[in-house]
Amino acid sequence: MSGSEVLMNSSQVSVIGMGQMGRAISGRLHGQGWKVNAFNRTWRDEYSELEFQVSDDLKVIQGSTVLILSLFDEHSIKSLLFNENEICEYLSDGSIIIDTTTHNPNFAKFLSEMMANRNIAYLDAPVSGGPIKAQHGKLAMMVGGLESTYRKQLDLLNSIGNHVYYLGNAGSGQAAKLVNQILVGISQLATAEAMTFATHLNLDLGNLIKVIRQSAGDSEVFRRSAPQMAKRKYSHEFQTHLIAKDLREIATVAEEQDLDLPLTKLSLLRLGEHEKGELSTMDAASIRELYLNTKQASGEKD
């Protein structure tokens, strides 16, 4: 099916955004028996091979009772919801938007109010875990919005994540996700520095990883990143530019709150620097290469 061909059947769930997470969530829901249609601004031939319908025509969402947003940032949402107002016109009264995009909690509150004026419910529901966990429904979901709306959507949310948490009013899910991303960003740098230190001390990295996994320094970031750093072979799962984007959002919120977060600033500085290189779309574990390049530039040997 080409991007311009649209089946005008009534769908129960539509997903906006076919990045890694949007595609994984769509596939998961389809596999769980949900009727799924998806929209992406640009058409790719590979979409034809998917088991659910994808189109670059917004008409594909018509008839949906639930719209899931899986976009890059606040700007992406604004360009779809406010520059192309027809997206809301395709949604009937009583429809629900579940927003898995990570952005400013205040923007989530704004969206909730805007959608309420259109008689459309809104949940901010950012996720953590990455595309592979999304494929298997093993994401953590942090949900903000009306509790009654949350409870009505529990079956759908539980199809996406196996750890679904209700945090409170609109914006609460986003706030929790940003807290998580502080830990992710700092842990990413901590893992890179630990691996750099270990290499300098001539430790066998494979054995070291086994030790740390049984020690107090263990973390999910370490478990994901350290093996990649040891082999210097990186996946595309937790892309550098995505984590850097989230840290910039945290910096904005911290400034609004007049908070000084020095370790977060350092993480953003380093990951932001790394983001400018050719490994921007590689897993953030590739920050290890920045340490190696800095070392080599200074004339030291690895």
Side-chain angles (χ1 to χ4, degrees), residues 7-302:
L7 296 177
M8 297 305 293
N9 60 323
S10 177
S11 62
Q12 187 168 356
V13 181
S14 284
V15 178
I16 303 289
M18 283 290 99
Q20 288 190 91
M21 289 300 293
R23 191 182 309 191
I25 289 172
S26 299
R28 168 65 182 177
L29 290 173
H30 174 79
Q32 290 292 296
W34 295 89
K35 200 172 185 180
V36 178
N37 287 339
F39 167 81
N40 201 65
R41 282 182 180 276
T42 56
W43 172 257
R44 297 180 182 178
D45 290 339
E46 62 198 67
Y47 295 156
S48 300
E49 302 174 4
L50 298 175
E51 295 181 352
F52 52 90
Q53 182 187 359
V54 183
S55 178
D56 56 5
D57 188 333
L58 272 172
K59 289 180 181 178
V60 76
I61 75 171
Q62 193 164 33
S64 297
T65 56
V66 178
L67 183 67
I68 297 175
L69 302 182
S70 181
L71 298 168
F72 179 67
D73 59 7
E74 180 178 321
H75 174 75
S76 303
I77 295 174
K78 286 179 178 177
S79 66
L80 272 171
L81 291 183
F82 304 125
N83 293 346
E84 300 177 21
N85 291 324
E86 66 267 27
I87 195 171
C88 289
E89 294 173 10
Y90 286 124
L91 298 176
S92 59
D93 286 356
S95 297
I96 296 170
I97 293 177
I98 298 176
D99 183 7
T100 67
T101 311
T102 301
H103 52 70
N104 194 307
N106 287 330
F107 183 58
K109 296 175 186 177
F110 168 75
L111 287 177
S112 180
E113 294 172 0
M114 289 290 294
M115 293 303 108
N117 291 335
R118 297 173 179 264
N119 198 26
I120 296 172
Y122 173 87
L123 294 175
D124 56 295
V127 297
S128 181
I132 293 176
K133 287 190 176 182
Q135 292 170 11
H136 298 93
K138 293 185 177 181
L139 294 173
M141 299 192 75
M142 299 152 247
V143 185
L146 289 176
E147 187 172 4
S148 57
T149 302
Y150 160 75
R151 295 201 174 281
K152 288 178 182 177
Q153 295 304 311
L154 263 178
D155 285 346
L156 176 64
L157 297 173
N158 285 327
S159 290
I160 298 172
N162 63 340
H163 298 290
V164 180
Y165 302 97
Y166 176 70
L167 277 302
N169 294 333
S172 300
Q174 295 295 345
K177 176 61 184 291
L178 294 185
V179 170
N180 181 75
Q181 296 306 81
I182 289 176
L183 295 168
V184 169
I186 294 172
S187 297
Q188 198 67 67
L189 257 68
T191 301
E193 292 196 6
M195 295 298 283
T196 299
F197 187 55
T199 301
H200 188 76
L201 296 179
N202 297 316
L203 284 171
D204 180 289
L205 297 183
N207 286 334
L208 175 69
I209 289 170
K210 294 177 184 178
V211 171
I212 299 300
R213 283 183 171 179
Q214 304 302 321
S215 304
D218 189 31
S219 70
E220 184 164 344
V221 171
F222 178 86
R223 286 175 175 252
R224 172 181 56 79
S225 297
Q228 295 183 62
M229 292 177 181
K231 297 176 181 177
R232 297 182 65 185
K233 292 182 180 179
Y234 307 105
S235 72
H236 289 273
E237 189 175 1
F238 289 86
Q239 297 179 1
T240 299
H241 74 110
L242 295 176
I243 294 181
K245 180 267 295 184
D246 292 346
L247 290 174
R248 279 192 287 273
E249 194 67 73
I250 292 164
T252 298
V253 175
E255 185 175 356
E256 293 170 353
Q257 298 290 327
D258 195 26
L259 281 174
D260 183 26
L261 303 176
L263 293 181
T264 302
K265 287 180 181 177
L266 177 60
S267 298
L268 176 56
L269 179 66
R270 297 293 281 173
L271 284 163
E273 181 183 352
H274 183 51
E275 178 190 22
K276 297 174 184 177
E278 59 184 17
L279 298 177
S280 176
T281 60
M282 302 299 287
D283 192 287
S286 62
I287 188 69
R288 166 80 168 126
E289 299 300 306
L290 185 63
Y291 283 83
L292 292 174
N293 291 338
T294 301
K295 189 174 183 180
Q296 290 163 3
S298 68
E300 296 182 56
K301 294 182 180 180
D302 182 31

